[in-house]
Amino acid sequence: MSPDIASASSLQEIDQRCATLEKEIAALPRYVADIEKQLDAHTRKLDADKAALAANAKERKNLEGVIVDSQQKISRLKDQMLQAKTNEQYKAFQQEITHFESAISKSEDRILELMEAAEPLTEAVKKSDGELAAEKKHVESQKAKARDRAAADQKAIAEAKAKRVEIVAKISPAVYKAYEHVRKRVGVNVVCEVVDGRCTGCKLALRPQYFQELKTATDVRYCESCYRIIYYNPPVAPPV
Ligand SMILES: [Zn+2]
């Protein structure tokens, strides 16, 4: 194999590695944003549950006030009723008492409803409080890991690029130019093996004559269809 092909293969390996690392670096902030968004949603749910629970408690307290107030009014009305002079007066007191008794009964029913509604809310808040603390910790640790990973990736890219410079200094300028030209067009898959007479890059068959030449060529050859750098690996007999 021509040393230029070996160099082009090394360039390709480096470029593929850098592309993978750059992809990972780009994906890390998205991952962090994703878990932060989830945490935010869970925090908002907990806040909403806490607010609902507070509203529930406030309404219960108000209703308890209504009950105490109504009981006091009933007791006063009962005292006044004793002094009723006419049947109409008596009935009027009785009506007022019924009104406050009904208010008490309605308040008691509503308090029961509120107590029932508060039960799952209290459970949810208790559960979320614990879970959220763990989730916050997890998110912080994942963020730190993502930062470390991005830094390690950046370092690996810098090392790979330094190595690339060394290879570029050794490779024939014409081959490098061809490599870069194809890389810009097709991405990282520039150096391709020819298998069964076909370029594995573009999948097209080589001219038979050109394929024969490739088998013994000592210079760099390019696919006539896609201009990728091509090489041929002769079959190796299995060890006996
Ligand atoms: Zn091709």
Side-chain angles (χ1 to χ4, degrees), residues 72-113:
Q72 284 168 354
K73 280 181 177 142
I74 289 171
S75 141
R76 260 203 310 278
L77 285 165
K78 279 185 175 165
D79 286 345
Q80 289 171 323
M81 207 160 73
L82 295 175
Q83 285 134 41
K85 301 225 163 50
T86 63
N87 211 24
E88 278 71 31
Q89 274 182 344
Y90 185 86
K91 270 187 183 161
F93 283 127
Q94 188 60 57
Q95 249 173 15
E96 272 198 83
I97 287 170
T98 308
H99 164 77
F100 287 116
E101 277 172 349
S102 149
I104 289 173
S105 164
K106 272 186 197 156
S107 297
E108 281 171 348
D109 287 350
R110 179 69 187 140
I111 284 173
L112 277 179
E113 268 176 33

Side-chain angles (χ1 to χ4, degrees), residues 199 201-202 223 225-226 228:
C199 161
C202 67
C223 170
S225 305
C226 68
R228 285 181 171 88

